[in-house]
PDB file of all heavy atoms in Angstrom:
ATOM      1  N   GLN A 293      -7.640 -27.216   0.498  1.00  0.00           N
ATOM      2  CA  GLN A 293      -8.428 -27.002   1.718  1.00  0.00           C
ATOM      3  C   GLN A 293      -9.483 -25.907   1.476  1.00  0.00           C
ATOM      4  O   GLN A 293     -10.639 -26.048   1.868  1.00  0.00           O
ATOM      5  CB  GLN A 293      -7.508 -26.606   2.867  1.00  0.00           C
ATOM      6  CG  GLN A 293      -8.180 -26.500   4.209  1.00  0.00           C
ATOM      7  CD  GLN A 293      -7.752 -25.245   4.957  1.00  0.00           C
ATOM      8  OE1 GLN A 293      -6.612 -24.793   4.811  1.00  0.00           O
ATOM      9  NE2 GLN A 293      -8.663 -24.692   5.719  1.00  0.00           N
ATOM     10  N   LYS A 294      -9.115 -24.839   0.791  1.00  0.00           N
ATOM     11  CA  LYS A 294     -10.050 -23.747   0.514  1.00  0.00           C
ATOM     12  C   LYS A 294     -11.170 -24.188  -0.437  1.00  0.00           C
ATOM     13  O   LYS A 294     -12.306 -23.781  -0.292  1.00  0.00           O
ATOM     14  CB  LYS A 294      -9.303 -22.548  -0.074  1.00  0.00           C
ATOM     15  CG  LYS A 294      -8.494 -21.773   0.963  1.00  0.00           C
ATOM     16  CD  LYS A 294      -7.812 -20.559   0.335  1.00  0.00           C
ATOM     17  CE  LYS A 294      -7.387 -19.564   1.413  1.00  0.00           C
ATOM     18  NZ  LYS A 294      -6.641 -18.426   0.850  1.00  0.00           N
ATOM     19  N   LEU A 295     -10.808 -25.032  -1.388  1.00  0.00           N
ATOM     20  CA  LEU A 295     -11.849 -25.511  -2.330  1.00  0.00           C
ATOM     21  C   LEU A 295     -12.838 -26.429  -1.637  1.00  0.00           C
ATOM     22  O   LEU A 295     -14.018 -26.376  -1.907  1.00  0.00           O
ATOM     23  CB  LEU A 295     -11.171 -26.239  -3.512  1.00  0.00           C
ATOM     24  CG  LEU A 295     -10.500 -25.345  -4.553  1.00  0.00           C
ATOM     25  CD1 LEU A 295      -9.599 -26.179  -5.443  1.00  0.00           C
ATOM     26  CD2 LEU A 295     -11.558 -24.612  -5.371  1.00  0.00           C
ATOM     27  N   ARG A 296     -12.334 -27.286  -0.754  1.00  0.00           N
ATOM     28  CA  ARG A 296     -13.243 -28.172  -0.032  1.00  0.00           C
ATOM     29  C   ARG A 296     -14.215 -27.352   0.802  1.00  0.00           C
ATOM     30  O   ARG A 296     -15.377 -27.700   0.937  1.00  0.00           O
ATOM     31  CB  ARG A 296     -12.470 -29.158   0.854  1.00  0.00           C
ATOM     32  CG  ARG A 296     -11.511 -30.072   0.127  1.00  0.00           C
ATOM     33  CD  ARG A 296     -11.198 -31.348   0.904  1.00  0.00           C
ATOM     34  NE  ARG A 296     -12.333 -32.258   0.883  1.00  0.00           N
ATOM     35  CZ  ARG A 296     -12.590 -33.113  -0.110  1.00  0.00           C
ATOM     36  NH1 ARG A 296     -11.760 -33.202  -1.127  1.00  0.00           N
ATOM     37  NH2 ARG A 296     -13.655 -33.869  -0.072  1.00  0.00           N
ATOM     38  N   TRP A 297     -13.726 -26.247   1.366  1.00  0.00           N
ATOM     39  CA  TRP A 297     -14.575 -25.375   2.171  1.00  0.00           C
ATOM     40  C   TRP A 297     -15.590 -24.663   1.280  1.00  0.00           C
ATOM     41  O   TRP A 297     -16.784 -24.642   1.534  1.00  0.00           O
ATOM     42  CB  TRP A 297     -13.702 -24.353   2.891  1.00  0.00           C
ATOM     43  CG  TRP A 297     -14.443 -23.266   3.602  1.00  0.00           C
ATOM     44  CD1 TRP A 297     -14.696 -22.018   3.118  1.00  0.00           C
ATOM     45  CD2 TRP A 297     -15.065 -23.321   4.895  1.00  0.00           C
ATOM     46  NE1 TRP A 297     -15.438 -21.284   4.039  1.00  0.00           N
ATOM     47  CE2 TRP A 297     -15.655 -22.077   5.143  1.00  0.00           C
ATOM     48  CE3 TRP A 297     -15.172 -24.324   5.870  1.00  0.00           C
ATOM     49  CZ2 TRP A 297     -16.362 -21.773   6.312  1.00  0.00           C
ATOM     50  CZ3 TRP A 297     -15.864 -24.030   7.055  1.00  0.00           C
ATOM     51  CH2 TRP A 297     -16.451 -22.786   7.260  1.00  0.00           C
ATOM     52  N   MET A 298     -15.112 -24.068   0.181  1.00  0.00           N
ATOM     53  CA  MET A 298     -15.965 -23.283  -0.706  1.00  0.00           C
ATOM     54  C   MET A 298     -17.130 -24.077  -1.251  1.00  0.00           C
ATOM     55  O   MET A 298     -18.250 -23.600  -1.278  1.00  0.00           O
ATOM     56  CB  MET A 298     -15.124 -22.714  -1.848  1.00  0.00           C
ATOM     57  CG  MET A 298     -15.922 -21.884  -2.846  1.00  0.00           C
ATOM     58  SD  MET A 298     -14.794 -21.146  -4.078  1.00  0.00           S
ATOM     59  CE  MET A 298     -15.962 -20.172  -5.034  1.00  0.00           C
ATOM     60  N   PHE A 299     -16.861 -25.313  -1.671  1.00  0.00           N
ATOM     61  CA  PHE A 299     -17.895 -26.141  -2.302  1.00  0.00           C
ATOM     62  C   PHE A 299     -18.544 -27.117  -1.328  1.00  0.00           C
ATOM     63  O   PHE A 299     -19.305 -27.978  -1.740  1.00  0.00           O
ATOM     64  CB  PHE A 299     -17.314 -26.898  -3.509  1.00  0.00           C
ATOM     65  CG  PHE A 299     -17.008 -25.984  -4.666  1.00  0.00           C
ATOM     66  CD1 PHE A 299     -15.779 -25.358  -4.780  1.00  0.00           C
ATOM     67  CD2 PHE A 299     -17.964 -25.724  -5.629  1.00  0.00           C
ATOM     68  CE1 PHE A 299     -15.511 -24.516  -5.831  1.00  0.00           C
ATOM     69  CE2 PHE A 299     -17.709 -24.861  -6.695  1.00  0.00           C
ATOM     70  CZ  PHE A 299     -16.456 -24.257  -6.792  1.00  0.00           C
ATOM     71  N   LEU A 300     -18.217 -27.009  -0.049  1.00  0.00           N
ATOM     72  CA  LEU A 300     -18.798 -27.874   0.993  1.00  0.00           C
ATOM     73  C   LEU A 300     -18.708 -29.340   0.583  1.00  0.00           C
ATOM     74  O   LEU A 300     -19.665 -30.093   0.686  1.00  0.00           O
ATOM     75  CB  LEU A 300     -20.239 -27.488   1.290  1.00  0.00           C
ATOM     76  CG  LEU A 300     -20.473 -26.114   1.884  1.00  0.00           C
ATOM     77  CD1 LEU A 300     -20.813 -25.103   0.783  1.00  0.00           C
ATOM     78  CD2 LEU A 300     -21.614 -26.107   2.911  1.00  0.00           C
ATOM     79  N   LEU A 301     -17.537 -29.736   0.123  1.00  0.00           N
ATOM     80  CA  LEU A 301     -17.398 -31.089  -0.427  1.00  0.00           C
ATOM     81  C   LEU A 301     -17.631 -32.175   0.614  1.00  0.00           C
ATOM     82  O   LEU A 301     -17.994 -33.287   0.260  1.00  0.00           O
ATOM     83  CB  LEU A 301     -16.014 -31.236  -1.065  1.00  0.00           C
ATOM     84  CG  LEU A 301     -15.763 -30.341  -2.273  1.00  0.00           C
ATOM     85  CD1 LEU A 301     -14.368 -30.571  -2.844  1.00  0.00           C
ATOM     86  CD2 LEU A 301     -16.828 -30.556  -3.357  1.00  0.00           C
ATOM     87  N   ASP A 302     -17.402 -31.842   1.882  1.00  0.00           N
ATOM     88  CA  ASP A 302     -17.467 -32.876   2.916  1.00  0.00           C
ATOM     89  C   ASP A 302     -18.808 -32.948   3.661  1.00  0.00           C
ATOM     90  O   ASP A 302     -18.982 -33.760   4.543  1.00  0.00           O
ATOM     91  CB  ASP A 302     -16.325 -32.689   3.918  1.00  0.00           C
ATOM     92  CG  ASP A 302     -14.993 -32.769   3.222  1.00  0.00           C
ATOM     93  OD1 ASP A 302     -14.726 -33.831   2.617  1.00  0.00           O
ATOM     94  OD2 ASP A 302     -14.228 -31.790   3.283  1.00  0.00           O
ATOM     95  N   ILE A 303     -19.726 -32.029   3.315  1.00  0.00           N
ATOM     96  CA  ILE A 303     -20.952 -31.951   4.111  1.00  0.00           C
ATOM     97  C   ILE A 303     -21.867 -33.143   3.820  1.00  0.00           C
ATOM     98  O   ILE A 303     -21.966 -33.610   2.695  1.00  0.00           O
ATOM     99  CB  ILE A 303     -21.706 -30.617   3.849  1.00  0.00           C
ATOM    100  CG1 ILE A 303     -22.721 -30.364   4.950  1.00  0.00           C
ATOM    101  CG2 ILE A 303     -22.375 -30.617   2.485  1.00  0.00           C
ATOM    102  CD1 ILE A 303     -23.333 -28.991   4.922  1.00  0.00           C
ATOM    103  N   ASP A 304     -22.490 -33.642   4.869  1.00  0.00           N
ATOM    104  CA  ASP A 304     -23.434 -34.749   4.776  1.00  0.00           C
ATOM    105  C   ASP A 304     -24.834 -34.234   5.080  1.00  0.00           C
ATOM    106  O   ASP A 304     -25.151 -33.892   6.214  1.00  0.00           O
ATOM    107  CB  ASP A 304     -23.033 -35.840   5.778  1.00  0.00           C
ATOM    108  CG  ASP A 304     -23.991 -37.038   5.709  1.00  0.00           C
ATOM    109  OD1 ASP A 304     -24.940 -36.992   4.893  1.00  0.00           O
ATOM    110  OD2 ASP A 304     -23.780 -37.982   6.491  1.00  0.00           O
ATOM    111  N   LEU A 305     -25.668 -34.148   4.045  1.00  0.00           N
ATOM    112  CA  LEU A 305     -27.000 -33.586   4.215  1.00  0.00           C
ATOM    113  C   LEU A 305     -28.087 -34.674   4.211  1.00  0.00           C
ATOM    114  O   LEU A 305     -29.252 -34.401   3.956  1.00  0.00           O
ATOM    115  CB  LEU A 305     -27.286 -32.559   3.108  1.00  0.00           C
ATOM    116  CG  LEU A 305     -26.488 -31.253   3.186  1.00  0.00           C
ATOM    117  CD1 LEU A 305     -26.658 -30.440   1.919  1.00  0.00           C
ATOM    118  CD2 LEU A 305     -26.907 -30.433   4.395  1.00  0.00           C
ATOM    119  N   SER A 306     -27.673 -35.909   4.501  1.00  0.00           N
ATOM    120  CA  SER A 306     -28.659 -36.995   4.374  1.00  0.00           C
ATOM    121  C   SER A 306     -29.832 -36.835   5.342  1.00  0.00           C
ATOM    122  O   SER A 306     -30.963 -37.223   4.984  1.00  0.00           O
ATOM    123  CB  SER A 306     -27.958 -38.356   4.565  1.00  0.00           C
ATOM    124  OG  SER A 306     -27.135 -38.333   5.708  1.00  0.00           O
ATOM    125  N   ASP A 307     -29.604 -36.233   6.502  1.00  0.00           N
ATOM    126  CA  ASP A 307     -30.731 -36.026   7.418  1.00  0.00           C
ATOM    127  C   ASP A 307     -31.737 -35.042   6.819  1.00  0.00           C
ATOM    128  O   ASP A 307     -32.946 -35.220   6.958  1.00  0.00           O
ATOM    129  CB  ASP A 307     -30.239 -35.460   8.766  1.00  0.00           C
ATOM    130  CG  ASP A 307     -29.501 -36.540   9.583  1.00  0.00           C
ATOM    131  OD1 ASP A 307     -29.627 -37.726   9.218  1.00  0.00           O
ATOM    132  OD2 ASP A 307     -28.837 -36.177  10.561  1.00  0.00           O
ATOM    133  N   PHE A 308     -31.208 -34.014   6.181  1.00  0.00           N
ATOM    134  CA  PHE A 308     -32.099 -33.038   5.547  1.00  0.00           C
ATOM    135  C   PHE A 308     -32.889 -33.696   4.404  1.00  0.00           C
ATOM    136  O   PHE A 308     -34.108 -33.535   4.306  1.00  0.00           O
ATOM    137  CB  PHE A 308     -31.305 -31.861   4.999  1.00  0.00           C
ATOM    138  CG  PHE A 308     -32.083 -30.933   4.096  1.00  0.00           C
ATOM    139  CD1 PHE A 308     -33.214 -30.244   4.578  1.00  0.00           C
ATOM    140  CD2 PHE A 308     -31.744 -30.774   2.774  1.00  0.00           C
ATOM    141  CE1 PHE A 308     -33.948 -29.417   3.765  1.00  0.00           C
ATOM    142  CE2 PHE A 308     -32.479 -29.940   1.945  1.00  0.00           C
ATOM    143  CZ  PHE A 308     -33.585 -29.259   2.433  1.00  0.00           C
ATOM    144  N   TYR A 309     -32.194 -34.487   3.597  1.00  0.00           N
ATOM    145  CA  TYR A 309     -32.901 -35.125   2.473  1.00  0.00           C
ATOM    146  C   TYR A 309     -33.953 -36.100   2.972  1.00  0.00           C
ATOM    147  O   TYR A 309     -35.030 -36.225   2.379  1.00  0.00           O
ATOM    148  CB  TYR A 309     -31.906 -35.845   1.556  1.00  0.00           C
ATOM    149  CG  TYR A 309     -30.965 -34.930   0.840  1.00  0.00           C
ATOM    150  CD1 TYR A 309     -29.594 -35.201   0.780  1.00  0.00           C
ATOM    151  CD2 TYR A 309     -31.426 -33.770   0.238  1.00  0.00           C
ATOM    152  CE1 TYR A 309     -28.725 -34.361   0.106  1.00  0.00           C
ATOM    153  CE2 TYR A 309     -30.542 -32.914  -0.436  1.00  0.00           C
ATOM    154  CZ  TYR A 309     -29.193 -33.217  -0.483  1.00  0.00           C
ATOM    155  OH  TYR A 309     -28.348 -32.367  -1.143  1.00  0.00           O
ATOM    156  N   ALA A 310     -33.669 -36.783   4.067  1.00  0.00           N
ATOM    157  CA  ALA A 310     -34.638 -37.735   4.608  1.00  0.00           C
ATOM    158  C   ALA A 310     -35.943 -37.022   4.985  1.00  0.00           C
ATOM    159  O   ALA A 310     -37.025 -37.553   4.801  1.00  0.00           O
ATOM    160  CB  ALA A 310     -34.049 -38.440   5.837  1.00  0.00           C
ATOM    161  N   LEU A 311     -35.798 -35.801   5.503  1.00  0.00           N
ATOM    162  CA  LEU A 311     -36.990 -35.001   5.837  1.00  0.00           C
ATOM    163  C   LEU A 311     -37.627 -34.447   4.568  1.00  0.00           C
ATOM    164  O   LEU A 311     -38.857 -34.485   4.400  1.00  0.00           O
ATOM    165  CB  LEU A 311     -36.590 -33.845   6.759  1.00  0.00           C
ATOM    166  CG  LEU A 311     -36.139 -34.200   8.165  1.00  0.00           C
ATOM    167  CD1 LEU A 311     -35.595 -32.972   8.871  1.00  0.00           C
ATOM    168  CD2 LEU A 311     -37.299 -34.803   8.973  1.00  0.00           C
ATOM    169  N   ALA A 312     -36.803 -33.937   3.677  1.00  0.00           N
ATOM    170  CA  ALA A 312     -37.303 -33.274   2.461  1.00  0.00           C
ATOM    171  C   ALA A 312     -38.047 -34.250   1.570  1.00  0.00           C
ATOM    172  O   ALA A 312     -38.984 -33.841   0.883  1.00  0.00           O
ATOM    173  CB  ALA A 312     -36.127 -32.641   1.694  1.00  0.00           C
ATOM    174  N   ASP A 313     -37.658 -35.517   1.575  1.00  0.00           N
ATOM    175  CA  ASP A 313     -38.316 -36.531   0.736  1.00  0.00           C
ATOM    176  C   ASP A 313     -39.825 -36.566   0.968  1.00  0.00           C
ATOM    177  O   ASP A 313     -40.584 -36.889   0.077  1.00  0.00           O
ATOM    178  CB  ASP A 313     -37.730 -37.917   1.043  1.00  0.00           C
ATOM    179  CG  ASP A 313     -36.349 -38.090   0.457  1.00  0.00           C
ATOM    180  OD1 ASP A 313     -35.989 -37.305  -0.431  1.00  0.00           O
ATOM    181  OD2 ASP A 313     -35.617 -39.005   0.908  1.00  0.00           O
ATOM    182  N   HIS A 314     -40.234 -36.217   2.192  1.00  0.00           N
ATOM    183  CA  HIS A 314     -41.659 -36.341   2.542  1.00  0.00           C
ATOM    184  C   HIS A 314     -42.433 -35.042   2.348  1.00  0.00           C
ATOM    185  O   HIS A 314     -43.603 -34.976   2.710  1.00  0.00           O
ATOM    186  CB  HIS A 314     -41.792 -36.815   4.002  1.00  0.00           C
ATOM    187  CG  HIS A 314     -41.145 -38.122   4.241  1.00  0.00           C
ATOM    188  ND1 HIS A 314     -41.662 -39.312   3.747  1.00  0.00           N
ATOM    189  CD2 HIS A 314     -39.999 -38.478   4.877  1.00  0.00           C
ATOM    190  CE1 HIS A 314     -40.876 -40.309   4.077  1.00  0.00           C
ATOM    191  NE2 HIS A 314     -39.848 -39.830   4.777  1.00  0.00           N
ATOM    192  N   GLU A 315     -41.761 -34.025   1.837  1.00  0.00           N
ATOM    193  CA  GLU A 315     -42.440 -32.742   1.583  1.00  0.00           C
ATOM    194  C   GLU A 315     -42.402 -32.485   0.081  1.00  0.00           C
ATOM    195  O   GLU A 315     -41.315 -32.281  -0.491  1.00  0.00           O
ATOM    196  CB  GLU A 315     -41.725 -31.609   2.344  1.00  0.00           C
ATOM    197  CG  GLU A 315     -42.096 -30.210   1.907  1.00  0.00           C
ATOM    198  CD  GLU A 315     -43.591 -29.934   1.910  1.00  0.00           C
ATOM    199  OE1 GLU A 315     -44.208 -30.091   2.976  1.00  0.00           O
ATOM    200  OE2 GLU A 315     -44.149 -29.567   0.834  1.00  0.00           O
ATOM    201  N   PRO A 316     -43.570 -32.500  -0.557  1.00  0.00           N
ATOM    202  CA  PRO A 316     -43.598 -32.341  -2.020  1.00  0.00           C
ATOM    203  C   PRO A 316     -42.824 -31.123  -2.520  1.00  0.00           C
ATOM    204  O   PRO A 316     -42.232 -31.186  -3.605  1.00  0.00           O
ATOM    205  CB  PRO A 316     -45.082 -32.196  -2.321  1.00  0.00           C
ATOM    206  CG  PRO A 316     -45.764 -32.898  -1.180  1.00  0.00           C
ATOM    207  CD  PRO A 316     -44.897 -32.734   0.008  1.00  0.00           C
ATOM    208  N   ARG A 317     -42.814 -30.057  -1.753  1.00  0.00           N
ATOM    209  CA  ARG A 317     -42.150 -28.840  -2.214  1.00  0.00           C
ATOM    210  C   ARG A 317     -40.638 -28.831  -1.924  1.00  0.00           C
ATOM    211  O   ARG A 317     -39.945 -27.856  -2.231  1.00  0.00           O
ATOM    212  CB  ARG A 317     -42.837 -27.616  -1.650  1.00  0.00           C
ATOM    213  CG  ARG A 317     -44.259 -27.527  -2.129  1.00  0.00           C
ATOM    214  CD  ARG A 317     -44.832 -26.148  -2.216  1.00  0.00           C
ATOM    215  NE  ARG A 317     -46.042 -26.171  -3.014  1.00  0.00           N
ATOM    216  CZ  ARG A 317     -46.100 -25.956  -4.310  1.00  0.00           C
ATOM    217  NH1 ARG A 317     -44.985 -25.693  -4.974  1.00  0.00           N
ATOM    218  NH2 ARG A 317     -47.218 -26.002  -4.961  1.00  0.00           N
ATOM    219  N   LEU A 318     -40.172 -29.922  -1.348  1.00  0.00           N
ATOM    220  CA  LEU A 318     -38.725 -30.040  -1.124  1.00  0.00           C
ATOM    221  C   LEU A 318     -38.170 -31.348  -1.662  1.00  0.00           C
ATOM    222  O   LEU A 318     -36.967 -31.597  -1.622  1.00  0.00           O
ATOM    223  CB  LEU A 318     -38.414 -29.961   0.373  1.00  0.00           C
ATOM    224  CG  LEU A 318     -38.618 -28.598   1.070  1.00  0.00           C
ATOM    225  CD1 LEU A 318     -38.426 -28.739   2.576  1.00  0.00           C
ATOM    226  CD2 LEU A 318     -37.637 -27.559   0.508  1.00  0.00           C
ATOM    227  N   ALA A 319     -39.079 -32.158  -2.208  1.00  0.00           N
ATOM    228  CA  ALA A 319     -38.666 -33.493  -2.635  1.00  0.00           C
ATOM    229  C   ALA A 319     -37.645 -33.482  -3.755  1.00  0.00           C
ATOM    230  O   ALA A 319     -36.933 -34.461  -3.978  1.00  0.00           O
ATOM    231  CB  ALA A 319     -39.893 -34.316  -3.039  1.00  0.00           C
ATOM    232  N   HIS A 320     -37.532 -32.352  -4.448  1.00  0.00           N
ATOM    233  CA  HIS A 320     -36.595 -32.221  -5.565  1.00  0.00           C
ATOM    234  C   HIS A 320     -35.147 -32.062  -5.039  1.00  0.00           C
ATOM    235  O   HIS A 320     -34.197 -32.196  -5.809  1.00  0.00           O
ATOM    236  CB  HIS A 320     -36.950 -31.007  -6.401  1.00  0.00           C
ATOM    237  CG  HIS A 320     -36.961 -29.721  -5.630  1.00  0.00           C
ATOM    238  ND1 HIS A 320     -37.929 -29.421  -4.707  1.00  0.00           N
ATOM    239  CD2 HIS A 320     -36.078 -28.686  -5.605  1.00  0.00           C
ATOM    240  CE1 HIS A 320     -37.669 -28.228  -4.170  1.00  0.00           C
ATOM    241  NE2 HIS A 320     -36.566 -27.764  -4.685  1.00  0.00           N
ATOM    242  N   CYS A 321     -34.992 -31.794  -3.750  1.00  0.00           N
ATOM    243  CA  CYS A 321     -33.687 -31.448  -3.236  1.00  0.00           C
ATOM    244  C   CYS A 321     -32.672 -32.582  -3.400  1.00  0.00           C
ATOM    245  O   CYS A 321     -31.526 -32.362  -3.777  1.00  0.00           O
ATOM    246  CB  CYS A 321     -33.771 -31.040  -1.762  1.00  0.00           C
ATOM    247  SG  CYS A 321     -34.530 -29.423  -1.562  1.00  0.00           S
TER     248      CYS A 321
END
Side-chain angles (χ1 to χ4, degrees):
Chain A
Q293 187 224 328
K294 284 181 163 177
L295 284 166
R296 300 203 73 84
W297 172 263
M298 180 175 182
F299 290 88
L300 295 95
L301 296 180
D302 300 302
I303 197 170
D304 179 1
L305 290 170
S306 48
D307 287 347
F308 169 62
Y309 294 135
L311 292 171
D313 286 343
H314 300 289
E315 165 54 57
R317 298 208 165 268
L318 290 173
H320 59 288
C321 288

